[in-house]
Each structure stands twice: as C-alpha cells, then as structure tokens.
Amino acid sequence: MKKCIIILIIQCFFSLCPAQTTNTIIGKWKFKELYNTQGMDSIGKQMLEGMFGEMTIYLKENKQYQSELMKKDDGTYEYDKATKKIVLTSNKGTQSELEINVLTNETILLSFGKDKSIVLIRDNSKSEEDITPVLFRPVLISITESQLCKKWYLKERYLPNRTAEQSKAVTELFEGTYFLFKQDHSFEAGIGKLTETGTWSLQNNNQTLYLATYNETKFWNIKKITENEIELFRGHTEEFWTFSTKK
C-alpha cells in the first residue's frame, strides 16, 4: 500500500512540472532572485543581486536572442533539451554555454557554473526588443591552414560609423596585438602585456576561425587574405581587424 502511495505522489509531482522543450524556454525573461543563497553573507548576496538585478534575456522562436547583463548583446542560440544546455553565439564573436531548468511555466533556473544559478521570471511586456534586427551577413572567403599558420600583427581596427581619426585612436589602444597560429592547432595571442593561449579551428567551409581557451570560445569571419595580410570580421558585425606579417 505504501509503495502505491509513493508511486502516486511521484506521478502527481511530474504531472505538475512542465515538460522541458525548446518551446517552454521561448520568451522574454528577467531577473527574479538568486538561487540557493544558503551560506552566503549579506555582502556577497548584495553584490550578486547588484550584478544580476537588471539582467534580461529574450529567446525568440527564430533562434535569435537579445540579452542585457551590464551591457546589451544579441545573436543566435541552440538548445539541447537532452542536456538542458543552451549555447549563445553572440554577433560580437563569442560563444557561451549555460544550463536552463524550467521550474514552472513562469520561471526558469539559469546556471552559469557550479553553485552559480539565478531564477528568471517571464516578462510579458512589449518593447523594441520585439523587433528582430537584420543580421550582417558579408561575403566571406575560404582559406587553408597553411595560409593561416603565421604570426600576424594588428595593423588596423575598423569600426563602422566612426571617423578615420576615431578608428586610428582605437587601433592605437590595441598596439602590439598579435596572433600566432601554429600547425598543431594551438595559438598564442597578445594584447598589450596580456597573453592568451588556446586552440584554433577552421569551420563553415574554412570561412570562420574559432579560437577556444579554457573559459570561452571566440570566432572571426574571414574577409580577405593575402600572403602578408589577413582581414577578420569580429563575429557577425561589420567591425573588422586587419593583420600583417610585418610588425
């Protein structure tokens, strides 16, 4: 008899939980509260609430997203309902992976890593985010690994809607930046006094360069290449960086 009662309780529990599918996560979500703050002091809690308090994310039916966490971002997403993982590919050229658990029809649990989770609540308000932006899709070229495997020094950084003087000033801020791509698919990058290492790969018919480090993945779309120069779009934006083999 006890066994039957336990089974009935379990069945009732799962019948009340919404089945987690791609459709259940579609919509606009905003920060509701921190999850599992047990053992957290008031200062740490206040700091995290200040960080996530204004967070929003809009997951659209067309697999595009818009979000705000300290700064605005947009791009595309892929969701795997088996692992409950969502991969966000920013138009600015980065990828990030999160875990989503549906709590109710109105709330989801977003996990950034071990013991780092927040509860988001559905936001039914209307805003300019409901307008889907037109993505920049330039003509790209394919390259070979041998063309890429060199040391490239930043020559110029072009930003749309900026004057030549402004672009020059931005380039000067990144003076000394370089990429070194090795034949074993490892890379080294230098920005000022900072050095970063990881692995590289060519994808999308060798038209997109992916750079993976221990904590994130960045991608660049290939605009142009010659023996001594390469031009890379930053993600799906109109911004591109020109590198040269000559320092």
Side-chain angles (χ1 to χ4, degrees):
M1 183 65 179
K2 283 185 177 180
K3 186 176 180 180
C4 291
I5 294 174
I6 293 173
I7 292 174
L8 182 61
I9 292 173
I10 293 174
Q11 289 176 337
C12 288
F13 173 77
F14 283 107
S15 67
L16 292 173
C17 295
Q20 187 157 326
T21 65
T22 304
N23 288 337
T24 58
I25 68 170
I26 288 174
K28 289 192 289 187
W29 306 89
K30 63 181 180 180
F31 177 81
K32 181 174 185 273
E33 60 189 1
L34 299 174
Y35 180 76
N36 190 15
T37 58
Q38 185 176 0
M40 187 182 300
D41 59 39
S42 58
I43 296 177
K45 183 178 178 182
Q46 185 177 7
M47 185 169 60
L48 288 176
E49 287 177 339
M51 180 185 300
F52 292 108
E54 300 299 320
M55 180 183 176
T56 61
I57 186 167
Y58 186 8
L59 301 173
K60 304 183 180 182
E61 291 184 17
N62 62 1
K63 297 298 181 69
Q64 292 186 24
Y65 79 88
Q66 289 177 279
S67 67
E68 184 165 356
L69 176 58
M70 292 181 283
K71 59 182 180 179
K72 292 185 177 181
D73 190 26
D74 54 64
T76 59
Y77 71 90
E78 290 293 334
Y79 176 67
D80 185 341
K81 65 180 181 181
T83 61
K84 299 181 181 180
K85 296 291 179 64
I86 185 169
V87 176
L88 304 176
T89 301
S90 169
N91 290 328
K92 296 177 182 177
T94 60
Q95 282 189 333
S96 55
E97 185 179 87
L98 306 171
E99 182 177 332
I100 290 183
N101 285 279
V102 175
L103 301 178
T104 69
N105 289 328
E106 298 298 316
T107 57
I108 58 174
L109 182 67
L110 198 64
S111 300
F112 299 86
K114 186 178 180 181
D115 301 326
K116 295 179 181 178
S117 301
I118 59 174
V119 178
L120 302 180
I121 188 168
R122 191 178 293 279
D123 180 2
N124 295 316
S125 64
K126 299 292 183 180
S127 68
E128 61 181 12
E129 293 178 350
D130 295 328
I131 303 173
T132 300
V134 177
L135 297 181
F136 177 64
R137 294 296 189 222
V139 176
L140 306 177
I141 66 165
S142 297
I143 65 172
T144 65
E145 293 188 356
S146 60
Q147 286 179 297
L148 180 68
C149 289
K150 298 177 182 179
K151 190 169 186 177
W152 303 94
Y153 298 94
L154 179 64
K155 180 180 177 181
E156 183 181 5
R157 183 182 176 190
Y158 169 80
L159 289 87
N161 304 317
R162 302 288 180 89
T163 65
E165 291 75 15
Q166 289 173 324
S167 293
K168 182 180 178 181
V170 171
T171 300
E172 290 175 351
L173 289 175
F174 288 82
E175 185 177 1
T177 294
Y178 71 87
F179 281 126
L180 172 59
F181 298 107
K182 302 178 183 179
Q183 292 183 347
D184 64 358
H185 286 249
S186 65
F187 80 89
E188 178 183 305
I191 302 178
K193 295 182 179 180
L194 300 178
T195 302
E196 188 175 57
T197 59
T199 59
W200 64 268
S201 64
L202 290 174
Q203 300 181 33
N204 184 32
N205 194 30
N206 287 8
Q207 296 179 337
T208 304
L209 171 64
Y210 280 82
L211 306 179
T213 61
Y214 75 97
N215 64 344
E216 69 174 351
T217 299
K218 298 178 182 179
F219 68 95
W220 301 76
N221 284 311
I222 300 162
K223 180 177 185 288
K224 178 183 176 181
I225 193 167
T226 66
E227 184 178 351
N228 299 313
E229 278 194 0
I230 187 171
E231 293 182 354
L232 303 172
F233 283 111
R234 184 188 175 197
H236 296 311
T237 69
E238 296 180 65
E239 176 185 339
F240 67 87
W241 297 31
T242 301
F243 292 85
S244 172
T245 56
K246 299 177 182 179
K247 189 170 182 180

